[in-house]
Amino acid sequence: EVQLVASGGGSVQGGGSLRLSCELFGQNVGSGCMGWFRQAPGKEREGVASMDFWNQNYYADSVVGRFGISKDNAKNTLNLEIDSLKPEDSAMYFCGASRDWKCPSVPSANYPHESQGTLVSVSS
């Protein structure tokens, strides 16, 4: 059984940074398309970043230049560095994993295996 545990959310001021981490159990990080998506209250899910089997990264237009997705093979984690945070980045953030080698060109907001959320709150 594949399980994902997301952590690292918090409350920060605009312009600040956070590092989210997603620990995987039952699947090796990087063994398929994996990524991060978010959902703000009253809004639909939005894929923000993903990484495929060949370590090709994909980002939503709204986060290019501010978000960075990476993996740590030793810790079996998928990480998301978030810089220059804006109030509109406030949302519950989730990580997801699939066994598809290739990711869609636009980061997905739905995966076969998903974590619980970690809350990011950005004040202006």
Side-chain angles (χ1 to χ4, degrees):
E1 181 184 3
V2 178
Q3 292 186 328
L4 297 88
V5 178
S7 62
S11 296
V12 298
Q13 285 196 324
S17 299
L18 281 173
R19 185 173 189 266
L20 307 184
S21 184
C22 175
E23 187 171 10
L24 284 83
F25 301 90
Q27 185 173 353
N28 291 332
V29 68
S31 61
C33 176
M34 300 180 181
W36 289 88
F37 58 96
R38 64 188 180 188
Q39 188 168 26
K43 295 189 175 181
E44 294 186 354
R45 291 184 170 193
E46 177 190 20
V48 295
S50 59
M51 173 186 289
D52 68 17
F53 178 81
W54 296 278
N55 296 327
Q56 178 69 45
N57 296 339
Y58 303 87
Y59 296 98
D61 290 342
S62 59
V63 307
V64 169
R66 300 188 300 119
F67 287 25
I69 190 170
S70 64
K71 63 178 182 176
D72 185 325
N73 291 325
K75 296 181 179 179
N76 209 36
T77 58
L78 184 73
N79 305 310
L80 187 68
E81 298 280 352
I82 310 176
D83 297 323
S84 303
L85 276 159
K86 304 175 182 180
E88 52 263 43
D89 293 320
S90 297
M92 193 74 78
Y93 283 71
F94 305 82
C95 58
S98 75
R99 296 197 184 272
D100 297 331
W101 286 12
K102 183 67 175 171
C103 289
S105 58
V106 175
S108 177
N110 291 282
Y111 292 86
H113 307 288
E114 299 176 351
S115 69
Q116 91 295 353
T118 185
L119 182 63
V120 172
S121 180
V122 184
S123 58
S124 55

